């Protein structure tokens, strides 16, 4: 028991038990009286609690006061009251809880807590309301685990002590080695004859003697001194297989001295000369096989001079062989639809590959009745017959039209002139003539009439004409039952006013059944076309075009290219030279044909060849664009002159240029292919005639509408046609009334 006292007034240091204790009443030893510590009453205690033995609070206080006055403290150890002479009082007599049953601390310092274990760290710590010894593991602290076969013993994290076992490694001739318990290793010898290594590279085979010793074998080193000079005696004199060097006391070939010849070329082989170690190339004989490593270019052979000649490709791209697969080393089929055998005639169908086979299908002719082309532009409905021959038919036009003016026809009110259309079906005998308009003139020269007819794919005529009395450009079409405007309502369209286009031919062109027009208005060349919303027009060329002479648009002729863009032949009214204008999709372009004469006149025609190049025929001649210049028929720059002998020109649907002229009192027709060639010698159509129009049909025939005199006086509008044998037939279209006059007959055929 410690003699130092701990008191509430701080004698001997601070209190050794944690938070303030509650005031607790304990039974007095043997007298049943409660003793209460003064000054430490809990705030929760009942101030008026009565004593168990009938002593009231006032009496108890009085007893306590007397005890204080006498300097005495009534109490005992274990009453949970820290009395003088007690280090602690936790209110119980349990040992080991930091406050011992005699009310003393379990320890006052670490020196009292040594448990003799090097693997614990001993300390005296606050525990409960007292102090107790604590023993924490001390890992890493040196210790002794009591095992003589371990070393470097250390404490672990659990407070135990463990060491590292001594390593007893068996020697070359030891089968095992173990600790002997005294810190040494005891070896077990290996059996006699077991292989071992005595450390000398020049002995082999080394073996154990059964007593733990490695016995050297026989000496095997060729250079025991370790020098290259010792290996000279073993050289074979071959400079190609390398030089011997001493490597670990053994003579071995130095790889760096072995001669390596270059890789053999496809048609040669290198050989090393043992005498000097040089590589010589030996060429393979001609015809020897070689390869560039590629399958698809064929099997190569040597030419005897060192070159590898290409072989024949195994998969030539022909027929239904489309190529070669280098990876699979096979031929690949051509794509489906590839022509593997072209047609050799119009009735021999081309064979096509299937896309899966390398073989071309069997050659078969076109079935009878199949479409073909006999090569004759004059035939149509070409078909193959049973014998495999392409046969075409000469199918003449089904319908003929002649449009003309009769300026002498009275119309009343001082007006004259009628526009008449004559029509005949191929099966008919007589021509049907009807009047489309009257009162077209008011004194102006009737010779200035401008009128044109064109037939659409359905065989229905479209008509454009100038009404000089009203200065109007008019348009009408036949819809199958009546003459109507472009929008289908009855009557005619007034396309434009203040128009003065005279002696114009071919100024109306159709794209399908859609009309396009060119004409001269005042000093401008104008272009109009019908759209779904009405007529749309524009000034193609003004008084002063970007190029060429001023005052354009005289006697315009129109054609359309495959894209529907207009091409126009016209002349200026300044020096009357021929011009060519076209719309390129963005703007109008104009070119003066300076190689043609002035005073070119009217009655122009224009057409495009299969290359889209323009050909122009006019009153004084013919010229064409060859891609770089305007030339005549034979390609010489300039034009073919016809001068005053010219009558009319046109272009047939089979690609022929038609040009008529007066020659020695006869009407002569000249022809040439539009895609090239010279003019023919000419064909006499008949005696001289005036106001002639030529048109070709799809069977290479030519039709002529003209005004001619008849015997006995008078005149008539006549139609002349060329038969397949070259002969000409004539028929009357319209007899001109006595004293009357007809001008400008214009013709069209369908189809």
């Amino acid at each position: 028991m410690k003699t130092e006292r701990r008191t509430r007034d701080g004698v001997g240091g601070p209190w050794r038990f944690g938070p303030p204790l509650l005031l607790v009443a304990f039974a007095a030893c043997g007298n049943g009286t409660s003793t209460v510590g003064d000054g430490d009453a809990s705030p929760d205690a009942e101030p008026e609690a009565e004593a168990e033995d009938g002593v009231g609070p006032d009496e108890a206080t009085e007893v306590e006061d007397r005890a204080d006055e006498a300097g005495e403290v009534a109490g005992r150890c274990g009453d949970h009251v820290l009395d003088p002479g007690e280090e602690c009082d936790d209110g119980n007599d349990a040992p080991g809880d930091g406050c011992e049953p005699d009310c003393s601390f379990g320890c006052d310092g670490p020196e009292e807590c040594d448990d003799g274990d090097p693997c614990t760290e001993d300390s005296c710590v606050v525990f409960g309301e007292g102090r107790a010894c604590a023993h924490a593991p001390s890992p890493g602290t040196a210790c002794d685990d009591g095992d003589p076969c371990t070393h470097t013993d250390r404490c672990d994290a659990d407070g135990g002590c463990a060491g590292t076992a001594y390593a007893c490694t068996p020697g070359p001739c030891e089968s095992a080695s173990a600790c002997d318990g005294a810190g040494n290793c005891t070896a077990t010898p290996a059996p006699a004859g077991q292989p071992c290594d005595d450390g000398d590279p020049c002995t082999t085979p080394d073996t154990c003697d059964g007593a733990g010793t490695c016995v050297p074998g026989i000496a095997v080193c060729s250079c025991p001194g370790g020098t290259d000079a010792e290996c000279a005696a073993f050289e074979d004199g071959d400079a190609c297989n390398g030089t011997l060097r001493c490597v670990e006391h053994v003579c071995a070939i130095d790889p760096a001295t072995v001669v390596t010849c270059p890789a053999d070329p496809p048609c040669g082989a290198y050989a090393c000369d043992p005498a000097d170690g040089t590589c010589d190339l030996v060429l393979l004989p001609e015809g020897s096989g070689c390869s560039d490593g590629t399958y698809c270019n064929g099997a190569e052979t040597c030419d005897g001079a060192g070159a590898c000649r290409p072989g024949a490709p195994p998969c030539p791209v022909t027929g239904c062989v489309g190529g070669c697969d280098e990876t699979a080393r096979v031929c690949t089929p051509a794509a489906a639809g590839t022509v593997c055998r072209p047609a050799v005639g119009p009735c021999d169908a081309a064979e096509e590959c299937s896309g899966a086979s390398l073989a071309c299908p069997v050659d078969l002719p076109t079935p009878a009745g199949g479409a073909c082309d006999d090569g004759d532009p004059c035939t149509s409905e070409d078909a193959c017959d049973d014998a495999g021959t392409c046969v075409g038919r000469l199918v003449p036009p089904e319908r003929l039209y002649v449009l003309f003016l009769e300026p002498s026809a009275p119309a009343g009110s001082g007006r004259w002139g009628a526009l008449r259309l004559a029509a005949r079906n191929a099966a008919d005998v007589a021509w049907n003539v009807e009047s489309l308009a009257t009162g077209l003139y008011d004194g102006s020269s009737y010779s200035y009439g401008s009128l044109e007819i064109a037939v659409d794919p359905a065989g229905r005529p479209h008509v454009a004409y100038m009404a000089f009395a009203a200065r109007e450009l008019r348009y009408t079409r036949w819809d199958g039952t009546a003459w109507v405007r472009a929008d289908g309502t009855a009557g005619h369209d007034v396309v434009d006013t203040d128009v003065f286009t005279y002696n114009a031919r071919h100024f109306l062109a159709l794209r399908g059944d859609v009309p396009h027009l060119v004409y001269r208005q005042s000093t401008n060349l104008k272009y109009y076309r019908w759209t779904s919303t009405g007529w749309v027009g524009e000034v193609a060329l003004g008084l002063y075009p970007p190029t060429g002479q001023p005052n354009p648009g005289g006697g315009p002729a129109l054609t359309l290219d495959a894209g529907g863009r207009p091409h126009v032949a016209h002349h200026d009214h300044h020096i009357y030279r021929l011009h060519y204008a076209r719309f390129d999709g963005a703007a109008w372009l104009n070119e003066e044909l300076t190689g043609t004469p002035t005073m070119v006149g009217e009655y122009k025609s224009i057409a495009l060849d299969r290359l889209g190049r323009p050909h122009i025929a006019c009153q004084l001649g013919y010229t064409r664009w060859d891609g770089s210049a305007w030339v005549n028929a034979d390609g010489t720059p300039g034009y073919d002159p016809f001068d005053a002998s010219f009558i009319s020109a046109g272009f047939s649907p089979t690609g022929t240029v038609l040009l008529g002229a007066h020659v020695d009192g006869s009407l002569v027709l000249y022809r040439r292919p539009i895609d090239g060639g010279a003019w023919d010698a000419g064909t006499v159509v008949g005696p001289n005639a005036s106001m002639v129009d030529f048109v070709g049909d799809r069977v290479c025939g030519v039709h002529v509408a003209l005004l001619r005199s008849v015997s006995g006086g008078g005149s008539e509008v006549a139609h002349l046609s060329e038969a397949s044998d070259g002969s000409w037939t004539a028929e009357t279209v319209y007899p001109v009334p006595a004293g009357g006059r007809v001008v400008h007959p214009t013709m069209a055929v369908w189809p």
Side-chain angles (χ1 to χ4, degrees):
M1 171 67 71
K2 304 292 190 300
T3 57
E4 184 179 6
R5 296 175 54 84
R6 299 290 193 272
T7 61
R8 287 178 291 175
D9 58 0
V11 177
W15 291 100
R16 303 298 297 275
F17 49 85
L21 297 175
L22 296 177
L23 182 60
V24 182
F26 294 93
C29 295
N31 61 8
T33 303
S34 295
T35 305
V36 180
D38 61 323
D40 286 326
S42 168
D44 295 330
E46 284 290 343
E48 296 182 0
E50 294 183 357
E52 294 182 2
D53 199 23
V55 179
D58 294 337
E59 295 171 320
T61 301
E62 181 179 352
V63 172
E64 196 172 296
D65 289 342
R66 286 197 302 268
D68 286 341
E69 290 175 0
E72 297 176 354
V73 177
R76 64 180 178 83
C77 179
D79 60 4
H80 209 208
V81 176
L82 187 63
D83 297 321
E86 296 178 340
E87 288 184 319
C88 60
D89 191 336
D90 58 2
N92 66 67
D93 56 0
D97 61 358
C99 187
E100 297 303 312
D102 60 357
C103 289
S104 66
F105 290 149
C107 64
D108 284 328
E111 66 280 357
E112 299 179 15
C113 297
D114 186 359
D115 60 359
D117 187 349
C119 288
T120 60
E121 183 177 350
D122 306 323
S123 61
C124 182
V125 299
V126 175
F127 185 73
E129 295 185 15
R131 293 187 180 185
C133 288
H135 309 284
S138 179
T141 302
C143 61
D144 185 356
D145 62 359
D147 187 349
C149 287
T150 62
H151 64 89
T152 320
D153 302 346
R154 293 289 185 273
C155 297
D156 58 23
D158 296 327
C161 182
T164 302
Y166 283 104
C168 291
T169 304
C173 283
E174 296 173 347
S175 61
S177 180
C179 180
D180 61 0
N184 300 312
C185 292
T186 299
T188 302
Q194 178 174 302
C196 60
D197 184 357
D198 65 356
D200 185 350
C202 292
T203 61
T204 188
D206 303 337
T207 57
C208 296
D209 62 359
T213 301
C214 185
V215 179
I218 62 175
V220 295
C221 288
S222 52
C223 50
T227 64
D228 293 340
E230 296 174 84
C231 298
F234 302 102
E235 291 287 358
D236 61 1
D238 188 340
C240 295
N241 61 6
T243 302
L244 295 174
R245 297 282 186 265
C246 185
V247 181
E248 296 182 355
H249 302 284
V250 176
C251 291
I253 294 174
D254 182 358
T257 63
V258 176
V259 176
T260 301
C261 291
D264 291 340
C267 286
Y270 282 100
C272 180
D273 185 348
D276 57 10
T278 59
C279 293
D280 299 322
L281 177 63
V282 179
L283 299 179
L284 298 180
E286 182 179 6
S288 300
C290 56
S291 176
D292 59 4
T294 302
Y295 167 77
C296 290
N297 62 1
E300 297 80 17
T301 58
C302 297
D303 64 359
C308 188
R309 294 178 298 201
C315 305
V317 180
T318 183
C320 287
V321 178
C324 181
D325 186 335
E326 184 66 40
T327 302
R329 302 177 80 80
V330 295
C331 299
T332 56
T338 300
V339 175
C340 57
R341 186 181 298 109
V344 295
C347 288
D348 177 34
E351 278 72 42
E352 298 180 349
C353 301
S354 66
S357 173
L358 299 175
C360 188
V362 177
D363 188 8
L364 296 174
T366 301
C372 60
D373 184 356
D374 63 1
D376 185 349
C378 300
T379 61
S380 60
E381 301 179 8
D382 301 348
C384 297
D385 61 13
D386 293 334
T389 303
C390 186
V391 179
R393 296 197 309 123
L394 292 172
V395 182
E398 296 181 16
R399 199 168 300 153
L400 308 173
Y401 298 95
V402 178
L403 182 70
F404 57 91
L405 286 173
E406 188 176 0
S408 59
S413 302
R415 298 290 182 89
W416 295 80
L419 177 67
R420 304 194 191 281
L421 176 65
R424 178 172 73 81
N425 292 327
D428 296 340
V429 175
W431 287 79
N432 176 54
V433 181
E434 63 178 314
S435 178
L436 302 185
T438 60
L440 301 179
Y441 296 94
D442 59 357
S444 300
S445 174
Y446 53 78
S447 64
Y448 285 165
S450 292
L451 63 158
E452 186 56 66
I453 183 171
V455 184
D456 63 29
R460 295 173 178 175
H462 298 240
V463 174
Y465 60 96
M466 179 180 170
F468 272 84
R471 295 293 190 269
E472 293 175 347
L473 178 64
R474 297 177 181 176
Y475 163 86
T476 187
R477 66 180 176 89
W478 179 252
D479 70 354
T481 58
W483 289 95
V484 297
R485 299 181 178 90
D487 64 4
T489 59
H492 63 263
D493 286 312
V494 176
V495 179
D496 206 348
T497 59
D498 192 24
V499 177
F500 191 74
T501 293
Y502 59 88
N503 291 353
R505 289 279 180 85
H506 313 117
F507 61 91
L508 166 65
L510 299 178
R511 179 172 171 81
D513 61 355
V514 177
H516 296 244
L517 293 163
V518 291
Y519 56 94
R520 175 179 164 81
Q521 182 190 61
S522 184
T523 59
N524 301 323
L525 172 65
K526 297 191 74 173
Y527 164 67
Y528 264 77
R529 68 187 185 282
W530 173 255
T531 69
S532 59
T533 58
W535 288 95
V536 176
E538 61 188 61
V539 175
L541 300 172
L543 173 61
Y544 296 100
T547 59
Q549 299 294 330
N551 207 353
L558 170 67
T559 190
L560 303 173
D561 61 25
R565 292 181 291 268
H567 298 251
V568 181
H570 66 104
H571 67 262
D572 65 77
H573 279 248
H574 181 59
I575 60 175
Y576 293 86
R577 176 166 280 151
L578 184 63
H579 288 241
Y580 166 64
R582 67 185 177 90
F583 184 70
D584 67 357
W588 280 89
L589 308 175
N590 186 58
E591 180 181 359
E592 178 185 356
L593 278 59
T594 56
T596 59
T598 58
M599 302 305 295
V600 72
E602 293 82 26
Y603 311 119
K604 302 173 192 67
S605 294
I606 183 171
L608 303 176
D609 59 27
R610 61 181 178 178
L611 298 178
R613 296 171 177 174
H615 297 242
I616 299 175
C618 59
Q619 183 173 346
L620 298 183
Y622 161 84
T623 187
R624 64 186 175 89
W625 177 254
D626 70 354
S628 60
W630 290 95
V631 298
N632 60 16
D634 64 9
T636 303
Y639 71 106
D640 290 317
F642 284 87
D643 302 323
S645 65
F646 171 87
I647 300 176
S648 181
F651 297 90
S652 77
T654 57
T656 302
V657 183
L658 309 174
L659 197 147
H662 292 297
V663 180
D664 297 330
S666 297
L667 174 60
V668 179
L669 171 64
Y670 295 95
R671 288 177 271 208
R672 72 173 292 273
I674 194 171
D675 288 328
W679 293 100
D680 67 6
T683 300
V684 176
V685 177
N688 279 345
S690 60
M691 300 206 176
V692 180
D693 188 28
F694 291 91
V695 64
D697 60 29
R698 66 176 181 174
V699 295
C700 299
V702 177
H703 299 258
V704 184
L706 50 79
L707 183 66
R708 68 179 182 178
S709 299
V710 296
S711 59
S715 60
E716 67 178 7
V717 177
H719 165 239
L720 282 68
S721 60
E722 183 182 27
S724 58
D725 61 0
S727 62
W728 290 85
T729 58
E731 61 179 327
T732 299
V733 175
Y734 179 73
V736 180
R741 186 176 178 85
V742 168
V743 294
H744 304 306
T746 300
M747 189 161 194
V749 300
W750 181 84

